[in-house]
Amino acid sequence: MVAQQFDLIVMGGIAATINGIAPADIGVLGGKIVAIGDIRGSGARVVDAKGLHILPGVIDTQVHFREPGMEYKEDLASGTAAAVLGGVTGVFEMPNTRPSTTTAELLADKFRRARGRVRCDIAFYVGASPENVAELAELERMPGCAGIKIFMGSSTGNLLIPDDRTLEQVLRNGRRRVAVHAEDEDRLRERAESIRKGGDVASHPDWRDVDTALHATRRLLDIARRAARRVHVLHVSTVEEIDLLARHKDIASVETTPQHLTLVAPECYEKLGTFAQMNPPIRDERHRAGLWRGVTQGIVDVIGSDHAPHSREEKAKPYPESPSGMPGVQTLLPLLLDHCHAGRLSLERVIDLTSAGPARLFGIVGKGRIAVGYDADLTVVDLRARRKIDNSWIASKCGWTPFDGVSVTGWPKMTIVRGNVVMRDDEIVGDAIGEPIKFTEGSW
Ligand code: DOR
């Protein structure tokens, strides 16, 4: 029994600590976990977690929050509100804003905007461009920087490193793991006119086909090996890449998304039309099954949401004027808990993919596990709650989700960031207390 003074005690839950999943109270002081076990503390705020599971705070390592420049789609306040409603305690935000985050000043500007407005902890990526190659090693070490992001193929925004020479320069300039959108720009351009069918979003995966992704990933792996640089392949969408990346685990880590694991072509295009359009695309069952094999065989390291909101009006434009991307930060955990309930992956694996994995891969300091001395980032979930996801629950400014009307088993009940309860029973509570995430390889 532990008797001491705490700021907060999460009492009576089943905690997924470093020593396993078992009943345990969690004592928090000064934002850190200070005790785990049978706690008899006093003077504390006590939250009752009876019947609930306490997971390490979920870290979503790929979100697009659109600020600055496209705040009508999302901003840092609305994006992080969506995050904590979905049980997410930390996010890595992408650099394809307007302007793109390519300089120290623009990165500092994002942190200025975040202060007092973000509800979870946050790190920002810096985008690689031909103009900032020489500064990347310095930029990636700035406090709160998640690392460098490369777009090998064009997507939303104008960040692009299409050729091998510049790609190699980028990879030679710095040390940290580089996150990469691997689609081959030349192949995209060559085939845009001949393959893409105006008005038919189901041709999206034909245009941005398996070889578009596979060629880029192959080129990336060759150059990463030459440059001896670790890379992180974002939103992997093909079984061919899973098989390839399985042979390169020493140098490349792998992300896939809940959308690619849950939606499937052609049904998603029949049901959702352009609202199912994203880059890389949702593909057929062969790929979805291959991605699940990647999850169960340990080839996939993290699941990120690629939260990429666009307004309903924009998404309703006829293909291909319709922008690619769907929101996802709020539905990432409910979908994964539902897959867990259905027996597709274990709760331990959910934790590995959404907190322990991101912390280990990116060298996050003090997060990703429930252990004494770590930040008290806790995602409290009800594994038995049966709930329907619907648009009215969505806090993103876009106001829609591709999973509207989908019932899931497993739901976030409470989100706690460094000891602050920021969401309880689908309500945002308290102030916007988010801070920059710290990294072992950054400077601070
Ligand atoms: O579908 C996508 N949308 N893929 C990306 O890589 C970018 C994202 C966005 O920012 O809209």
Side-chain angles (χ1 to χ4, degrees):
M1 197 209 296
V2 187
Q4 64 184 90
Q5 202 77 21
F6 303 100
D7 297 329
L8 173 76
I9 304 172
V10 182
M11 191 71 96
I14 301 161
T17 76
I18 52 167
N19 296 314
I21 300 178
D25 309 320
I26 296 176
V28 177
L29 190 64
K32 306 267 186 212
I33 297 168
V34 293
I36 300 171
D38 184 7
I39 294 176
R40 299 281 183 278
S42 57
R45 175 171 180 195
V46 177
V47 298
D48 181 10
K50 215 165 288 135
L52 304 176
H53 281 71
I54 305 158
L55 313 182
V58 170
I59 303 167
D60 185 345
T61 47
Q62 190 186 176
V63 301
H64 302 264
F65 283 168
R66 310 301 194 200
E67 181 177 349
M70 292 168 280
E71 288 90 343
Y72 69 95
K73 295 180 200 261
E74 194 76 290
D75 64 26
L76 292 168
S78 60
T80 55
V84 300
L85 284 166
V88 171
T89 59
V91 292
F92 291 8
E93 207 269 340
M94 284 294 171
N96 56 335
T97 41
R98 235 180 251 150
S100 303
T101 320
T102 51
T103 66
E105 292 70 39
L106 289 164
L107 182 60
D109 177 57
K110 278 196 170 173
F111 280 111
R112 262 194 308 276
R113 289 166 179 275
R115 197 166 311 125
R117 289 177 56 229
V118 295
R119 297 194 174 270
C120 64
D121 286 353
I122 191 161
F124 294 105
Y125 275 105
V126 164
S129 80
E131 289 75 42
N132 71 1
V133 175
E135 287 101 59
L136 290 175
E138 203 180 316
L139 288 170
E140 73 169 5
R141 297 189 69 247
M142 286 182 65
C145 179
I148 304 302
K149 161 80 182 279
I150 297 171
F151 282 90
M152 291 175 72
S154 339
S155 196
T156 302
N158 54 11
L159 282 170
L160 189 62
I161 303 286
D163 64 292
D164 286 359
R165 213 178 117 257
T166 319
L167 183 60
E168 181 155 351
Q169 285 171 353
V170 170
L171 293 184
R172 286 196 184 277
N173 210 331
R175 295 190 54 231
R176 294 176 66 185
R177 189 179 292 276
V178 182
V180 185
H181 179 129
E183 286 187 291
D184 190 276
E185 181 65 11
D186 287 346
R187 189 169 169 87
L188 285 176
R189 287 194 186 185
E190 275 161 26
R191 291 158 39 89
E193 293 316 312
S194 58
I195 309 289
R196 200 164 58 178
K197 294 199 193 81
D200 181 9
V201 67
S203 67
H204 196 59
D206 300 332
W207 170 42
R208 304 182 87 107
D209 67 348
V210 170
D211 283 341
T212 301
L214 186 62
H215 284 174
T217 299
R218 273 211 192 103
R219 284 171 46 215
L220 175 68
L221 290 170
D222 281 353
I223 297 171
R225 221 165 256 299
R226 254 202 325 270
R229 186 78 185 269
R230 290 166 301 160
V231 291
H232 179 61
V233 187
L234 296 163
H235 41 46
V236 169
S237 64
T238 69
V239 61
E240 284 79 2
E241 286 168 285
I242 290 289
D243 289 339
L244 174 65
L245 288 160
R247 303 195 294 275
H248 294 273
K249 292 301 296 172
D250 57 327
I251 199 150
S253 51
V254 178
E255 177 201 73
T256 194
T257 77
Q259 296 89 296
H260 289 98
L261 290 169
T262 309
L263 302 175
V264 69
E267 288 91 328
C268 67
Y269 300 112
E270 285 157 12
K271 179 169 171 223
L272 301 166
T274 45
F275 286 70
Q277 177 191 334
M278 70 177 292
N279 302 332
I282 307 296
R283 307 185 192 277
D284 63 22
E285 183 54 35
R286 188 173 74 84
H287 294 292
R288 183 169 65 169
L291 296 175
W292 273 112
R293 180 165 55 74
V295 168
T296 51
Q297 293 185 342
I299 301 161
V300 173
D301 297 282
V302 299
I303 293 185
S305 74
D306 192 11
H307 176 82
H310 299 282
S311 71
R312 279 196 173 95
E313 295 71 34
E314 291 168 318
K315 288 295 279 184
K317 287 183 185 170
Y319 182 78
E321 283 100 72
S322 44
S324 292
M326 4 178 162
V329 71
Q330 199 171 332
T331 46
L332 173 133
L333 183 65
L335 290 171
L336 287 181
L337 293 179
D338 189 61
H339 286 306
C340 177
H341 176 77
R344 294 187 192 100
L345 79 176
S346 66
L347 190 60
E348 288 86 342
R349 187 69 172 125
V350 171
I351 293 165
D352 190 39
L353 291 162
T354 60
S355 53
R360 202 168 49 234
L361 277 190
F362 293 97
I364 298 173
V365 175
K367 296 190 185 294
R369 34 170 60 168
I370 296 180
V372 167
Y374 275 67
D375 287 354
D377 290 354
L378 306 170
T379 300
V380 183
V381 299
D382 183 346
L383 293 180
R384 287 168 316 211
R386 177 110 180 123
R387 290 283 302 265
K388 192 184 271 186
I389 295 172
D390 67 60
N391 286 338
S392 66
W393 173 64
I394 293 296
S396 168
K397 281 195 186 177
C398 74
W400 62 275
T401 163
F403 301 103
D404 179 52
V406 172
S407 290
V408 293
T409 302
W411 198 258
K413 292 284 288 179
M414 210 185 314
T415 308
I416 300 174
V417 176
R418 285 173 288 97
N420 302 280
V421 178
V422 293
M423 184 280 285
R424 192 163 193 179
D425 293 325
D426 300 330
E427 299 287 340
I428 302 269
V429 290
D431 298 327
I433 48 71
E435 288 184 358
I437 293 173
K438 295 191 182 74
F439 295 91
T440 53
E441 292 182 83
S443 50
W444 63 86

